[in-house]
Amino acid sequence: MIIEKTRTVFSPIMLPLTEVGANATYNGVEIDFGAKNQTVETNEVLEVYLAEGATSAGAPTLQVIVETKDPEGAFKQVASGEVLSLADLGEGAEVYKAALPDGCGQIVRVSLKNATADTFTGGSAVGVVRPL
């Protein structure tokens, strides 16, 4: 049995979904892995889940976008989660969980996207990077 000893929580620990605007992407913080070539073989799993269930007077959606910084300093998308509706965003819901994708560099950023004109009135997401 493998016992998880550490969980590296990336800042902000809790991201209020109210920061994810209508038809907008909220760019998360940069995570520095300290190595130039992150691939699926690194045994690191990125997990994003809801610490508090999402609320809204409309029907916003949520999608996790994984980006990496290129040598010139610009971010490019390397992976994305499925688009989830408000009904899928209850407390504890896992919105993304996968090994870091091939093509990730040293710096990785996790962003949240809402592709509708509706906004969130509550809820918060938490992201962690941990060993497999």
Side-chain angles (χ1 to χ4, degrees):
M1 173 190 287
I2 296 175
I3 298 174
E4 180 181 322
K5 293 184 177 180
T6 61
R7 287 185 101 156
T8 305
V9 178
F10 57 85
S11 182
I13 294 170
M14 285 193 170
L15 171 65
L17 294 183
T18 54
E19 297 290 327
V20 185
N23 294 310
T25 299
Y26 179 86
N27 293 326
V29 298
E30 296 180 7
I31 307 165
D32 187 342
F33 286 97
K36 292 182 180 179
N37 296 308
Q38 294 295 324
T39 67
V40 292
E41 289 84 19
T42 60
N43 293 325
E44 298 284 344
V45 172
L46 169 63
E47 181 179 356
V48 181
Y49 62 93
L50 293 185
E52 298 173 52
T55 58
S56 176
T61 61
L62 187 67
Q63 181 180 33
V64 172
I65 306 293
V66 180
E67 301 166 301
T68 193
K69 188 183 278 189
D70 64 25
E72 290 77 36
F75 280 95
K76 67 175 183 174
Q77 182 175 325
V78 291
S80 63
E82 66 179 284
V83 177
L84 301 169
S85 68
L86 186 63
D88 298 322
L89 301 175
E91 184 173 333
E94 186 177 275
V95 294
Y96 188 87
K97 184 175 182 180
L100 291 172
D102 192 23
C104 283
Q106 179 174 339
I107 306 294
V108 176
R109 178 171 77 182
V110 177
S111 299
L112 301 177
K113 180 179 179 180
N114 173 13
T116 72
D118 296 318
T119 58
F120 293 99
T121 58
S124 62
V126 174
V128 295
V129 176
R130 60 180 177 82
L132 280 174

